[in-house]
Amino acid sequence: MRTLVALLLVLFPFVSSVAAPGLDAISVTTAANGDETYSVSLQILLLMTLLSLLPAALLMMTSFTRIIIVLALLRTAMGTAQTPTTQVLIGVALFLTFFIMAPVFEQVYDDAVTPYLAEEMSVPDALQAASKPFRNFMMEQVRDSDLQLFSDLSGNQEFDSLDDIPMSLLMPAFVTSEIKTGFQIGFLVFIPFLVIDLVVASALMSMGMVFLSPIIISLPFKIMLFVLVDGWVLLVGTLASSFYV
């Protein structure tokens, strides 16, 4: 123990001298024209913070929410319990999201990432430029009634143009619209499988087989129907086209 304490006392001045310049690295330098330049350490800190918020941004600013709701309702309508698994549904939803949002991601890369990497744009300007493609995408999908709801809740007055709508109001309105649209598509997906369940249940009751679960009998028919009509292609095509109608 004495040796350990002595070693700590010897190394403490060295650690203090090394740690001191690290604080200087987290700084903001203001140029003569008023532009602010962030140190590399601060830029890394901001980048790590943005990466931690990436899942929330994926849910609130892309097509992921609508897709995962429809896929989950499809699994419930078919009655296949955990098939496909939740991991598979999330993977399918992610790849569909990347496909649907590809034009938006490309525009963000061209308008914000490339100028920033070329040191032609500051961090605030890059963030502002990156938000515009997402903003345009959300404005095309959001309902006017949802925008009006959150505008009334926030106490804001009427906006002169769509560009004046803040992101703090647009994002919850967009998420609400996506959830509503996802449930509407899921309702339409539910109807064919519900009809099969009703037909099978009526047939079993007419034959007096009341103790046999209709789900066991209807499941193969629902799977066969979904495969024969090429259901995955129809569903994926409908989801993708619903964002660019």
Side-chain angles (χ1 to χ4, degrees), residues 212-235:
L212 182 61
S213 176
I215 299 178
I216 299 177
I217 306 301
S218 62
L219 179 58
F221 292 99
K222 290 189 287 187
I223 294 177
M224 181 181 64
L225 173 66
F226 194 69
V227 172
L228 289 178
V229 300
D230 207 358
W232 285 111
V233 175
L234 291 176
L235 183 64

Side-chain angles (χ1 to χ4, degrees), residues 83-110:
T83 305
T85 62
T86 303
Q87 291 84 354
V88 173
L89 293 183
I90 293 177
V92 173
L94 282 174
F95 279 104
L96 283 178
T97 300
F98 293 149
F99 174 77
I100 295 170
M101 300 296 297
V104 178
F105 293 153
E106 291 177 0
Q107 187 175 358
V108 170
Y109 183 80
D110 295 336

Side-chain angles (χ1 to χ4, degrees), residues 3-230:
T3 305
L4 179 61
V5 173
L7 182 62
L8 291 176
L9 292 176
V10 171
L11 294 179
F12 181 76
F14 174 75
V15 173
S16 301
S17 63
V18 173
L23 297 177
D24 296 335
I26 306 177
S27 61
V28 180
T29 305
T30 304
N33 57 357
D35 295 338
E36 294 182 344
T37 302
Y38 298 89
S39 63
V40 176
S41 300
L42 188 56
Q43 292 182 26
I44 294 176
L45 177 62
L46 293 175
L47 178 61
M48 297 302 295
T49 303
L50 292 177
L51 289 178
S52 65
L53 297 176
L54 186 59
L58 179 65
L59 294 176
M60 298 185 64
M61 301 174 64
T62 65
S63 58
F64 180 84
T65 303
R66 182 189 305 185
I67 296 172
I68 195 62
I69 288 176
V70 174
L71 293 179
L73 290 176
L74 170 65
R75 184 176 64 181
T76 303
M78 294 184 66
T80 55
Q82 295 298 320
T83 305
T85 62
T86 303
Q87 291 84 354
V88 173
L89 293 183
I90 293 177
V92 173
L94 282 174
F95 279 104
L96 283 178
T97 300
F98 293 149
F99 174 77
I100 295 170
M101 300 296 297
V104 178
F105 293 153
E106 291 177 0
Q107 187 175 358
V108 170
Y109 183 80
D110 295 336
D111 297 344
V113 178
T114 300
Y116 174 73
L117 295 178
E119 299 183 356
E120 299 175 356
M121 185 178 294
S122 61
V123 174
D125 294 337
L127 293 176
Q128 183 68 22
S131 65
K132 290 182 179 179
F134 286 99
R135 183 187 186 88
N136 295 334
F137 173 80
M138 290 189 290
M139 288 301 302
E140 293 177 356
Q141 308 300 325
V142 71
R143 289 179 171 85
D144 295 336
S145 59
D146 295 327
L147 279 175
Q148 186 63 42
L149 170 64
F150 285 96
S151 177
D152 296 338
L153 292 176
S154 62
N156 293 329
Q157 302 297 325
E158 295 293 336
F159 299 101
D160 297 333
S161 63
L162 298 178
D163 296 334
D164 297 333
I165 300 177
M167 291 292 290
S168 59
L169 190 150
L170 179 59
M171 285 191 292
F174 171 75
V175 172
T176 305
S177 297
E178 288 297 286
I179 294 175
K180 186 184 301 182
T181 304
F183 275 96
Q184 289 176 349
I185 299 176
F187 171 76
L188 298 177
V189 172
F190 241 98
I191 293 178
F193 302 108
L194 181 61
V195 172
I196 295 177
D197 287 333
L198 292 176
V199 171
V200 171
S202 300
L204 291 178
M205 290 183 64
S206 64
M207 291 185 297
M209 305 174 65
V210 294
F211 295 102
L212 182 61
S213 176
I215 299 178
I216 299 177
I217 306 301
S218 62
L219 179 58
F221 292 99
K222 290 189 287 187
I223 294 177
M224 181 181 64
L225 173 66
F226 194 69
V227 172
L228 289 178
V229 300
D230 207 358

